[in-house]
Amino acid sequence: MINQQGQQVHENMQTGTIPQQLNHGGHEFFDLSEVLSSAISAMNQYTLVKDHIKDQELRNILDRQLAFMQQEYNTTLESFKTGSKPSVSTKTYNMKEDNDFIYGLKPSQPKKPVQSASELGDQCISYLMLNTVKSAAPMKAKAALECTNPVVRRVLADSVPNCIEMAYEISLYQNKHHYYQVPQLKQEDMQQLLNSFAPAQGMQGGMTH
């Protein structure tokens, strides 16, 4: 619906027309509050642990991801508060790691909780980072499904692949340092599973009535 001033307005059955900045449903308000609060928590965690990092490569990953998180948070917040297209669109996060995984397991020390902040090492910090971005992906996807505002819905949907890319970057770093080891099935078992599916056959000759 367009008003006389050419602005888009929306209708509420109880209160009549509503402005663009209130073009949100109830679920959307609750879910976006959770998404934004979690984003703040993620940035706070990154800030808290960065001075404990010893490996410069991991520090570079953290700095890149933290800067990206801050911009993405601002974009999400602006679209939510205005209900309109944000001044800075959602960007695409591009990792710096290559995508070569090392497969197989080698003996390693059992993991256990640390007893003080002084015990935080690069392995522990990289796991904190990984779990932070992994938990954001399903939260944003679920929130997007409940959005009635098309701009906020698209901002959230576009941000999910960025969480996936960040998580992949961290897991590649971990894998290279043997923090994150990847077992494989036997080759014959993998081949059997690969061959257990076949392509779908399209309908021949079009629809029949």
Side-chain angles (χ1 to χ4, degrees):
M1 181 186 302
I2 306 296
N3 64 14
Q4 294 180 346
Q5 288 74 41
Q7 299 170 328
Q8 186 175 12
V9 293
H10 305 270
E11 184 178 353
N12 182 295
M13 288 186 291
Q14 283 76 40
T15 61
T17 57
I18 55 175
Q20 184 69 11
Q21 66 266 29
L22 297 181
N23 176 21
H24 305 289
H27 269 295
E28 189 172 343
F29 262 100
F30 299 137
D31 288 346
L32 261 295
S33 295
E34 188 173 358
V35 166
L36 293 169
S37 295
S38 295
I40 291 173
S41 178
M43 291 183 285
N44 288 345
Q45 287 188 58
Y46 270 48
T47 300
L48 284 170
V49 301
K50 68 180 181 179
D51 288 338
H52 294 280
I53 293 176
K54 297 180 177 62
D55 183 10
Q56 186 59 46
E57 183 183 8
L58 181 59
R59 177 62 183 264
N60 291 341
I61 293 173
L62 183 146
D63 287 339
R64 284 198 310 273
Q65 292 193 358
L66 179 57
F68 190 90
M69 287 178 185
Q70 291 168 341
Q71 179 57 68
E72 192 170 72
Y73 168 82
N74 288 337
T75 294
T76 306
L77 178 61
E78 183 183 350
S79 67
F80 183 46
K81 294 185 76 170
T82 65
S84 303
K85 183 178 179 180
S87 55
V88 178
S89 299
T90 308
K91 306 295 184 181
T92 299
Y93 184 80
N94 294 307
M95 67 181 187
K96 301 296 184 181
E97 291 281 333
D98 58 39
N99 57 3
D100 294 326
F101 258 98
I102 301 168
Y103 294 97
L105 301 177
K106 62 181 293 185
S108 60
Q109 291 296 319
K111 300 178 184 65
K112 62 180 180 179
V114 299
Q115 301 300 308
S116 68
S118 62
E119 296 180 54
L120 287 174
D122 293 337
Q123 180 175 5
C124 179
I125 291 171
S126 64
Y127 268 108
L128 286 170
M129 293 167 61
L130 179 62
N131 289 329
T132 295
V133 293
K134 283 176 67 174
S135 63
M139 180 184 298
K140 290 179 178 180
K142 178 179 177 295
L145 294 170
E146 298 291 348
C147 282
T148 54
N149 184 292
V151 176
V152 178
R153 188 183 189 93
R154 176 50 57 193
V155 167
L156 286 175
D158 288 346
S159 70
V160 172
N162 292 326
C163 297
I164 297 171
E165 192 80 353
M166 289 183 187
Y168 194 44
E169 181 177 41
I170 299 167
S171 65
L172 282 163
Y173 167 84
Q174 290 183 314
N175 177 255
K176 182 168 62 177
H177 293 273
H178 306 295
Y179 302 153
Y180 178 54
Q181 301 192 55
V182 183
Q184 276 195 314
L185 299 174
K186 293 186 296 184
Q187 288 191 17
E188 55 266 32
D189 291 341
M190 287 193 285
Q191 196 63 54
Q192 183 173 339
L193 287 171
L194 288 171
N195 294 333
S196 63
F197 298 94
Q201 299 299 314
M203 296 188 66
Q204 301 297 319
M207 297 288 289
T208 57
H209 298 279

